[in-house]
PDB file of all heavy atoms in Angstrom:
ATOM      1  N   ASP A  82     103.419 104.987 101.151  1.00 98.00           N
ATOM      2  CA  ASP A  82     102.743 106.202 100.661  1.00 98.00           C
ATOM      3  C   ASP A  82     102.641 106.169  99.110  1.00 98.00           C
ATOM      4  O   ASP A  82     103.625 105.988  98.446  1.00 98.00           O
ATOM      5  CB  ASP A  82     103.616 107.411 101.148  1.00 98.00           C
ATOM      6  CG  ASP A  82     102.930 108.759 101.062  1.00 98.00           C
ATOM      7  OD1 ASP A  82     101.712 108.750 101.147  1.00 98.00           O
ATOM      8  OD2 ASP A  82     103.629 109.716 101.037  1.00 98.00           O
ATOM      9  N   HIS A 178     101.011 118.808  97.382  1.00 96.00           N
ATOM     10  CA  HIS A 178     102.272 118.287  97.888  1.00 96.00           C
ATOM     11  C   HIS A 178     103.448 119.286  97.668  1.00 96.00           C
ATOM     12  O   HIS A 178     103.474 119.905  96.602  1.00 96.00           O
ATOM     13  CB  HIS A 178     102.636 116.924  97.207  1.00 96.00           C
ATOM     14  CG  HIS A 178     101.668 115.823  97.512  1.00 96.00           C
ATOM     15  ND1 HIS A 178     100.694 115.515  96.665  1.00 96.00           N
ATOM     16  CD2 HIS A 178     101.622 114.991  98.527  1.00 96.00           C
ATOM     17  CE1 HIS A 178      99.992 114.502  97.143  1.00 96.00           C
ATOM     18  NE2 HIS A 178     100.530 114.117  98.332  1.00 96.00           N
ATOM     19  N   GLY A 179     104.327 119.375  98.614  1.00 96.00           N
ATOM     20  CA  GLY A 179     105.550 120.121  98.293  1.00 96.00           C
ATOM     21  C   GLY A 179     105.483 121.504  98.801  1.00 96.00           C
ATOM     22  O   GLY A 179     104.656 121.910  99.593  1.00 96.00           O
ATOM     23  N   GLY A 209      99.761 116.457 101.762  1.00 97.00           N
ATOM     24  CA  GLY A 209     100.316 117.835 101.517  1.00 97.00           C
ATOM     25  C   GLY A 209     100.206 118.762 102.729  1.00 97.00           C
ATOM     26  O   GLY A 209      99.785 119.928 102.634  1.00 97.00           O
ATOM     27  N   SER A 211     102.398 120.072 104.536  1.00 97.00           N
ATOM     28  CA  SER A 211     103.379 121.062 104.719  1.00 97.00           C
ATOM     29  C   SER A 211     102.938 122.405 104.187  1.00 97.00           C
ATOM     30  O   SER A 211     102.271 122.518 103.191  1.00 97.00           O
ATOM     31  CB  SER A 211     104.658 120.681 103.950  1.00 97.00           C
ATOM     32  OG  SER A 211     105.258 119.552 104.538  1.00 97.00           O
ATOM     33  N   ASN A 230      99.665 113.917 106.444  1.00 98.00           N
ATOM     34  CA  ASN A 230     100.947 113.580 105.758  1.00 98.00           C
ATOM     35  C   ASN A 230     101.827 114.771 105.749  1.00 98.00           C
ATOM     36  O   ASN A 230     101.479 115.804 105.247  1.00 98.00           O
ATOM     37  CB  ASN A 230     100.724 113.123 104.373  1.00 98.00           C
ATOM     38  CG  ASN A 230     100.133 111.690 104.352  1.00 98.00           C
ATOM     39  OD1 ASN A 230      99.670 111.171 105.350  1.00 98.00           O
ATOM     40  ND2 ASN A 230     100.233 111.069 103.137  1.00 98.00           N
ATOM     41  N   CYS A 232     105.919 115.846 104.776  1.00 98.00           N
ATOM     42  CA  CYS A 232     107.210 115.481 104.270  1.00 98.00           C
ATOM     43  C   CYS A 232     108.070 116.774 104.211  1.00 98.00           C
ATOM     44  O   CYS A 232     109.062 116.893 104.943  1.00 98.00           O
ATOM     45  CB  CYS A 232     107.057 114.884 102.924  1.00 98.00           C
ATOM     46  SG  CYS A 232     108.539 114.422 102.122  1.00 98.00           S
ATOM     47  N   THR A 233     107.734 117.680 103.337  1.00 97.00           N
ATOM     48  CA  THR A 233     108.542 118.806 103.051  1.00 97.00           C
ATOM     49  C   THR A 233     108.920 119.674 104.268  1.00 97.00           C
ATOM     50  O   THR A 233     110.049 120.091 104.432  1.00 97.00           O
ATOM     51  CB  THR A 233     107.808 119.749 102.027  1.00 97.00           C
ATOM     52  OG1 THR A 233     107.404 118.983 100.924  1.00 97.00           O
ATOM     53  CG2 THR A 233     108.662 120.895 101.577  1.00 97.00           C
TER      54      THR A 233
HETATM   55  P1  LIG B   1     104.145 117.593 101.882  1.00 80.74           P
HETATM   56  O1  LIG B   1     105.579 117.341 101.373  1.00 80.74           O
HETATM   57  O2  LIG B   1     103.531 118.734 101.200  1.00 80.74           O
HETATM   58  O3  LIG B   1     104.116 117.602 103.368  1.00 80.74           O
HETATM   59  O4  LIG B   1     103.250 116.282 101.424  1.00 80.74           O
HETATM   60  C1  LIG B   1     103.486 115.069 102.029  1.00 80.74           C
HETATM   61  C2  LIG B   1     102.525 114.047 101.576  1.00 80.74           C
HETATM   62  O5  LIG B   1     101.364 114.303 101.373  1.00 80.74           O
HETATM   63  C3  LIG B   1     103.006 112.690 101.391  1.00 80.74           C
HETATM   64  O6  LIG B   1     102.032 111.831 100.854  1.00 80.74           O
END
Side-chain angles (χ1 to χ4, degrees):
D82 193 24
H178 296 97
S211 295
N230 284 17
C232 177
T233 307

